[in-house]
Amino acid sequence: MADLARKRNEELARLLHQLVWSPERLAREVNLMLPPAMAISSTAPYKWRDRGMVPRAPHDQTVCEVLSRAAGIAVTYEQLWGRMGSHRGAKVLSPRLLTDPWTADTAQTALREAGADAAPVRLTDLFRGDELERAARHWASPPPRVTGGEGALAIAPEQLADLRRSHDGKQRLERCCGGGLVVGAARSELAMAGKLLELGSYAWDERLGRSLYGAAGRLARLVGWANFDLGNEAAAQRAFVAALRAAHVSGDLRLGLSVVGCLAVQATHNPVARGLDAVAMLGAALEVAGPRVTPCERALQLGRIARAHARRGERDGAEAAAERAFGELGDDPERPLERADLAGMVGEAYLLLGDHGRARPLLDTAVGGLTAERARARALLLVRLADSYRQTGEREAAVRTADQARRLAAGMQSGRVARALRDLDAELRRAS
């Protein structure tokens, strides 16, 4: 740590007072976010608060993330440490990612940034909700002209097919084993797709060019989802915006809707989404998409809307969206996985509303219907089910279900699953 100025950090003191946290509590929460080898002493936060000392990376940004999650609003590096004299915070990437014209050239730039193996993008780099909503409106506008594609590197449809197969395989691994397993490989694959767009020869075939942007957009979406699974919220947002830009150039409306859905999920699950209205954004996207998406795709997004309503305590909105979602699927016996997915989302919605009687049968249906390929989702739903038992005082059932989730999650590289299990274990310990 750098003892830059022996003065009290009034902003840190204010936040700790607001949260009713002692410095020791802050130290515990920071240590839960970091590997054991990087643990801090219980007295370190006293020095940050009372003597104006500034922790070195990664502890400086970890404190911002811990306080942001606890306070429900982004706590920035500048807010917490800037006045203490340190300027070591994460660099804010260019806002042009959102404000530049939505052209093929700027889509390439966004994809290149999302695929770069650069310094971590921190929570302090989150976009504001109104910024993201403006960006989300562009995805359904008429696609721009495909510029470039005059490089010397010949690209054939076979290379495009290889990119798609690679994406599909990595997506299956991510759903089973967690974002940590694939984020590096997916980022490298995205960087490669960006190089193909930059150096490739596809000006002679507009359809091939747009399909190449679509393949890059799917890889960017995967990079975003893997980062979201790891808790890298700002990096996930930037990858999702890159995916939106690529989807816009490709003219793939369904891909664009899917990416807007990813942003809505992130906003629903994370209190640091900085004002993004997931219900309004995703509802508007569905209206624009209209009949051009399949019933299964519409049901998925409606399930996400139901969960977002429930997060805000809006029972009527949640129930109406859930009813519409199940209506889209109908009684088609060929869609068991989609039905299980939807049951899980609606079950989570009822759990958020405190309706355990309606939540549990849906969560049970989801856990039973998801295959081994969807192990990460099953593990999360088992944790939700265990937490439902905990909340109603059924401790034995809660412990038994939590053990199922723990066995399923063994070796899984998912920050979301790890955090959910850790939070559940903490609640069970407090109740014992």
Side-chain angles (χ1 to χ4, degrees):
M1 290 180 291
D3 196 351
L4 299 167
R6 295 184 182 277
K7 58 183 178 181
R8 182 175 171 85
N9 188 326
E10 297 295 346
E11 184 62 14
L12 179 57
R14 183 189 69 79
L15 285 164
L16 291 176
H17 177 74
Q18 175 186 330
L19 295 169
V20 198
W21 278 16
S22 66
E24 289 90 349
R25 169 70 184 275
L26 177 59
R28 288 197 300 272
E29 296 293 334
V30 168
N31 287 339
L32 286 172
M33 295 276 291
L34 294 169
M38 302 183 73
I40 59 172
S41 73
S42 61
T43 60
Y46 283 100
K47 300 174 184 177
W48 307 338
R49 185 190 66 181
D50 300 332
R51 298 173 60 191
M53 296 176 73
V54 180
R56 296 190 184 278
H59 299 92
D60 51 359
Q61 294 290 354
T62 302
V63 174
C64 293
E65 296 185 20
V66 163
L67 293 176
S68 293
R69 290 194 174 98
I73 186 170
V75 176
T76 68
Y77 185 97
E78 182 62 30
Q79 172 188 347
L80 201 58
W81 309 118
R83 295 179 183 178
M84 298 296 104
S86 174
H87 300 286
R88 293 191 308 272
K91 294 180 180 178
V92 177
L93 299 183
S94 168
R96 294 196 309 267
L97 186 62
L98 289 176
T99 58
D100 270 357
W102 282 60
T103 65
D105 290 341
T106 51
Q108 276 196 40
T109 301
L111 290 166
R112 188 160 52 246
E113 284 192 12
D117 189 12
V121 181
R122 302 292 185 178
L123 189 65
T124 47
D125 297 319
L126 283 165
F127 294 125
R128 293 195 308 270
D130 59 331
E131 296 171 329
L132 283 173
E133 285 180 5
R134 283 197 299 271
R137 284 198 291 269
H138 283 283
W139 68 278
S141 60
R145 186 169 62 91
V146 177
T147 54
E150 298 176 354
L153 188 63
I155 298 177
E158 289 77 13
Q159 279 85 56
L160 181 61
D162 287 340
L163 278 178
R164 288 171 172 162
R165 280 192 293 268
S166 180
H167 163 268
D168 292 348
K170 289 179 177 62
Q171 185 179 61
R172 284 193 293 270
L173 282 171
E174 195 275 336
R175 288 172 170 173
C176 178
C177 306
L181 185 68
V182 305
V183 66
R187 194 187 297 119
S188 297
E189 194 91 358
L190 176 57
M192 182 179 69
K195 279 293 182 185
L196 290 176
L197 285 167
E198 178 186 353
L199 305 174
S201 172
Y202 50 86
W204 54 274
D205 187 344
E206 181 181 341
R207 184 177 178 182
L208 177 63
R210 293 198 188 279
S211 296
L212 190 55
Y213 274 99
R218 284 176 175 78
L219 286 165
R221 181 188 58 187
L222 178 59
V223 170
W225 196 258
N227 273 301
F228 167 61
D229 190 47
L230 291 172
N232 303 330
E233 304 293 345
Q237 276 189 354
R238 292 176 185 276
F240 288 146
V241 171
L244 268 182
R245 283 187 173 273
H248 179 233
V249 179
S250 75
D252 190 336
L253 191 81
R254 294 164 65 187
L255 173 60
L257 176 63
S258 171
V259 178
V260 173
C262 292
L263 285 165
V265 171
Q266 187 183 23
T268 300
H269 284 293
N270 214 309
V272 295
R274 301 184 70 186
L276 182 63
D277 187 338
V279 171
M281 184 177 73
L282 193 46
L286 274 176
E287 284 185 18
V288 170
R292 289 173 286 183
V293 294
T294 68
C296 284
E297 289 167 330
R298 196 173 299 108
L300 170 67
Q301 306 306 340
L302 285 167
R304 290 171 167 174
I305 289 175
R307 189 168 52 193
H309 272 299
R311 172 66 72 182
R312 302 194 313 205
E314 298 166 352
R315 176 179 288 273
D316 290 346
E319 290 182 342
E323 184 177 355
R324 284 183 61 199
F326 281 116
E328 290 289 343
L329 287 183
D331 299 321
D332 186 353
E334 301 298 318
R335 300 293 184 184
L337 188 58
E338 289 83 355
R339 190 170 295 280
D341 252 339
L342 182 56
M345 285 186 282
V346 177
E348 286 183 295
Y350 280 118
L351 194 58
L352 288 167
L353 293 168
D355 191 339
H356 300 277
R358 298 179 73 176
R360 286 179 192 167
L362 289 162
L363 294 173
D364 281 329
T365 297
V367 169
L370 292 173
T371 62
E373 201 173 271
R374 302 293 301 280
R376 195 257 317 281
R378 287 182 66 201
L380 276 170
L381 291 173
L382 281 166
V383 176
R384 308 287 188 246
L385 193 55
D387 194 49
S388 173
Y389 287 125
R390 177 195 66 79
Q391 291 182 50
T392 56
E394 300 169 73
R395 181 177 175 80
E396 288 187 9
V399 171
R400 184 173 61 252
T401 308
D403 286 343
Q404 284 183 262
R406 202 171 286 108
R407 286 192 297 271
L408 187 60
M412 194 177 288
Q413 298 184 44
S414 168
R416 283 193 295 156
V417 173
R419 284 192 300 275
L421 278 168
R422 187 174 66 233
D423 292 346
L424 175 63
D425 288 342
E427 292 294 339
L428 288 171
R429 283 195 300 270
R430 274 194 283 270
S432 61

